[in-house]
Amino acid sequence: MSGASAVEVVGVTKTFNVGKPNQVMALQDVSLSIRPGELVSLIGPSGCGKSTLLRLIADLTTPTAGEVTVNGKPAHQARVDHDYGMAFQQAGLFEWRTVARNVELPLELRGWDKKRRRQQALDMLRLVKLPDFADHYPWELSGGMQQRVAIARALSFDPPLLLMDEPFGALDEMTREHMQAELVRIRAATGKTVVFVTHSIPEAVYLSERVVVMSPRPGRITAVIDVDLGGRDEDTREDAAFFSKITEVREALRAVEATSPEPLEIGAVRGVDDR
Amino acid sequence: MTGARWRTVGLALLGFVMLAVLWEGYKWFWGAVDGSVLGWDLPASGDDTSMPHVWTVVERFGQPELRGSERTVGAAVLAGAWFTFRMAMGGFLIGVVVGLALAVVMQRFRLAEQGLLPYVILSQTVPLVALAPLVAGWGGNLSLPILGEWESWMSVVVIAAYLAFFPVAVGALRGLQSPSRASVELMRSYACPDRKTLWKLRFPAALPYLAPALKLAAAAAVVGAIVAEISTGTKGGIGRLIIEYSREATGDPAKVYTAVIAAALLGLLVAGIVTAFDTVAMRNRPKETAA
């Protein structure tokens, strides 16, 4: 456990409904270390615990065993200190607040004064290329735009870490690729550490420095694949190296299926799509 | 928007006109067939004692309440409506506060929801007629720190509140529980204390659920106030007037209808006030017609 890690997960096990008939081991003895400034994707079929792992890092749930350290402190302390921003599959904007006031929400909770948080919100909206929509309401925006506002909100208080739970999962293919490119750009501009949960193999490969492949029942990390494609741009998507990494991740996911202790339900691995 | 509003007003007026036409139409038909069709008696008598003409009722508003008295029926009914309006509003406000408080407690503590909700629902099955004398019985026995002696109008307010709190409690509870898991977790990720989550997330999210609940509560408060006036024998309100005037119905049939119309208008007025509040509170919310 070096203080230099952005996220340190050591021997974490998470069991739901302990002692009840529906007891489920969502994660078993998972360890993962994420360097500052790194983008790590968590990928795997439904039920592999990738979202649970993200929620453990966020201290939205607590491990049954093991330890989670964020920014060198216990996950709970990191949450209290606002060390991370979070984005979910649903943008989850508050419909009664304007776009700018949505971005201001975390600043409001931290007690920033009105003028300062407005200024910060406008800066963030410029970062996600929505400066003209500050006074619109969320329901006037498209899904992709709403998700950008959610990212602006997650970044508004300048946390070193960004936790994203399938943030582009509900978007159409075109918007999705566009948002991926936007995330690459935003990350280059801000230098944030990002933990990114996804169902999509190309998305994981395109965005990440490392792809963490997980398997279900119980959730474990089965492979960690380094993705060294250099700077990403639209040409990356047509690069031979990009495709060979996609193949590598796909094969790692197939291996999950092959080594699974019990037969997987049909479609369990299909939960990971090839988009 | 204004066009739509005029439409609403126009439709409401049209409704009144239609009602008057139906009333007079029935009277005419009843007279024409002499009260029975093919040997079957019509359900309601359409003679001038049971169903006075619309214009007779309208005229009655301008005439003296009793022979020789200075006050017109209109003035008496207006004074009664004002009294009942205040009772209903008092009951409504208390009902809203109590209902919201219950909803917050039930949302906050699951155990409270399981323990309280059945009683909240049970409370509405107690017949008002049984409850009213009980509350009225506090008079003379109960002395309050600020309000002093328990007076009969307080019983009316309490009974109105008793009816009004229920839709608020149920509607607000649903509303407070309406935010998605992601929204609640977002607030948790900010380490936002529950009290602040209530203000910043749960209350605003509950507003769309609260609007119809408040309308029901307002209507219930008016009904509660009128019934409570009657069953506690409280003087001064529209409920009391309905009872007094109905005793004169054989000799002066139009009189009781003035009070009935006033009670109906009172209900509309209260519903209108709540709707206006709703329109203001919801002005920036997505409209169902919005693309």
Side-chain angles (χ1 to χ4, degrees):
Chain A
M1 269 199 289
S2 70
S5 306
V7 177
E8 194 76 42
V9 177
V10 185
V12 161
T13 295
K14 175 68 185 178
T15 311
F16 288 109
N17 308 318
V18 179
K20 291 181 190 157
N22 56 344
Q23 176 169 327
V24 181
M25 190 181 273
L27 288 173
Q28 187 181 42
D29 195 22
V30 167
S31 295
L32 178 66
S33 178
I34 298 171
R35 295 182 289 276
E38 196 178 17
L39 194 153
V40 172
S41 286
L42 310 179
I43 195 168
S46 307
C48 72
K50 53 191 189 298
S51 284
T52 303
L53 181 53
L54 193 78
R55 288 160 46 77
L56 282 164
I57 296 169
D59 187 44
L60 294 174
T61 183
T62 48
T64 312
E67 215 174 310
V68 181
T69 313
V70 175
N71 262 359
K73 39 191 153 178
H76 176 73
Q77 192 56 44
R79 176 164 70 90
V80 171
D81 292 350
H82 298 188
D83 279 347
Y84 69 84
M86 197 151 188
F88 300 89
Q89 180 169 8
Q90 301 302 326
L93 303 177
F94 293 180
E95 62 172 26
W96 53 91
R97 285 173 167 251
T98 61
V99 163
R101 296 243 307 128
N102 264 288
V103 178
E104 285 176 35
L105 175 71
L107 308 175
E108 218 175 289
L109 296 172
R110 304 184 98 192
W112 287 32
D113 69 63
K114 205 170 177 176
K115 203 173 151 193
R116 185 163 162 237
R117 64 182 194 235
R118 173 81 187 182
Q119 192 52 52
Q120 177 71 2
L122 292 180
D123 286 348
M124 286 300 121
L125 288 173
R126 222 164 286 133
L127 177 70
V128 298
K129 294 185 178 165
L130 287 173
D132 298 335
F133 290 87
D135 295 320
H136 283 62
Y137 281 88
W139 40 274
E140 298 171 310
L141 272 56
S142 71
M145 287 158 97
Q146 289 189 20
Q147 203 50 259
R148 283 189 215 209
V149 176
I151 292 170
R153 179 178 62 187
L155 291 171
S156 65
F157 49 100
D158 200 26
L161 175 64
L162 197 53
L163 302 177
M164 307 180 90
D165 194 354
E166 296 185 50
F168 310 146
L171 304 178
D172 65 81
E173 183 61 21
M174 298 293 290
T175 313
R176 189 172 188 154
E177 285 195 358
H178 184 65
M179 289 300 292
Q180 290 163 5
E182 285 295 294
L183 181 60
V184 166
R185 179 184 64 79
I186 289 166
R187 208 179 133 241
T190 58
K192 301 294 180 197
T193 311
V194 183
V195 184
F196 193 99
V197 168
T198 181
H199 265 121
S200 158
I201 300 170
E203 181 166 89
V205 171
Y206 182 77
L207 291 174
S208 319
E209 267 106 51
R210 275 193 298 160
V211 177
V212 172
V213 178
M214 299 180 68
S215 80
R217 275 169 288 256
R220 284 158 300 147
I221 293 175
T222 48
V224 178
I225 296 165
D226 287 302
V227 185
D228 188 14
L229 296 174
R232 313 297 210 274
D233 53 32
E234 280 315 297
D235 294 337
T236 308
R237 294 187 197 279
E238 288 159 20
D239 201 1
F242 177 65
F243 287 112
S244 72
K245 276 295 164 191
I246 287 179
T247 308
E248 198 180 329
V249 174
R250 186 179 294 136
E251 276 168 3
L253 282 162
R254 290 231 177 95
V256 166
E257 190 174 25
T259 60
S260 189
E262 35 185 316
L264 286 179
E265 297 155 23
I266 293 170
V269 167
R270 270 187 236 146
V272 178
D273 61 46
D274 281 339
R275 287 191 292 173
Chain B
M1 194 60 210
T2 41
R5 207 167 285 165
W6 280 115
R7 222 175 97 96
T8 314
V9 174
L11 279 174
L13 285 176
L14 190 70
F16 270 111
V17 173
M18 290 290 285
L19 206 65
V21 167
L22 271 174
W23 181 275
E24 290 299 331
Y26 181 83
K27 270 180 74 69
W28 172 84
F29 181 74
W30 184 85
V33 300
D34 206 16
S36 63
V37 176
L38 304 169
W40 293 81
D41 283 344
L42 287 173
S45 170
D47 63 26
D48 287 350
T49 312
S50 306
M51 292 176 68
H53 281 293
V54 172
W55 46 88
T56 318
V57 176
V58 173
E59 270 169 12
R60 195 67 188 87
F61 275 102
Q63 293 160 352
E65 200 182 5
L66 292 166
R67 203 170 298 123
S69 71
E70 294 208 349
R71 197 159 77 146
T72 61
V73 167
V77 157
L78 201 65
W82 171 236
F83 178 89
T84 304
F85 175 75
R86 285 179 300 161
M87 298 299 109
M89 274 295 137
F92 174 71
L93 291 178
I94 293 172
V96 168
V97 170
V98 172
L100 284 179
L102 277 173
V104 167
V105 171
M106 287 192 287
Q107 185 278 315
R108 187 74 182 72
F109 307 101
R110 255 197 86 73
L111 200 69
E113 185 188 343
Q114 288 164 354
L116 273 177
L117 200 56
Y119 289 100
V120 168
I121 293 163
L122 202 69
S123 73
Q124 299 303 301
T125 64
V126 177
L128 205 55
V129 215
L131 190 77
L134 187 80
V135 177
W138 293 350
N141 301 325
L142 194 66
S143 187
L144 296 172
I146 304 159
L147 293 166
E149 280 287 298
W150 189 261
E151 291 178 45
S152 84
W153 67 265
M154 295 176 188
S155 306
V156 176
V157 172
V158 165
I159 291 163
Y162 187 84
L163 287 192
F165 96 94
F166 177 72
V168 178
V170 173
L173 177 61
R174 274 202 61 194
L176 292 175
Q177 289 173 335
S178 70
S180 67
R181 179 171 138 148
S183 297
V184 174
E185 290 201 330
L186 183 75
M187 298 306 268
R188 274 198 67 198
S189 81
Y190 300 142
C192 181
D194 286 337
R195 186 175 36 83
K196 257 187 176 171
T197 302
L198 192 67
W199 275 123
K200 300 279 183 193
L201 172 63
R202 294 193 188 276
F203 268 129
L207 261 187
Y209 294 82
L210 216 48
L214 290 180
K215 268 179 227 178
L216 285 175
V222 172
V223 171
I226 290 174
V227 174
E229 279 174 24
I230 294 171
S231 50
T232 62
T234 304
K235 291 192 180 103
I238 202 85
R240 180 71 177 194
L241 285 183
I242 290 175
I243 289 295
E244 280 176 12
Y245 289 2
S246 67
R247 292 203 189 108
E248 302 164 32
T250 38
D252 192 357
K255 202 174 179 183
V256 68
Y257 284 105
T258 62
V260 170
I261 288 171
L265 289 177
L266 187 62
L268 283 180
L269 173 71
V270 171
I273 291 171
V274 175
T275 306
F277 164 79
D278 173 37
T279 311
V280 173
M282 298 288 291
R283 68 196 177 285
N284 288 322
R285 299 298 178 99
K287 313 288 179 289
E288 274 178 49
T289 47

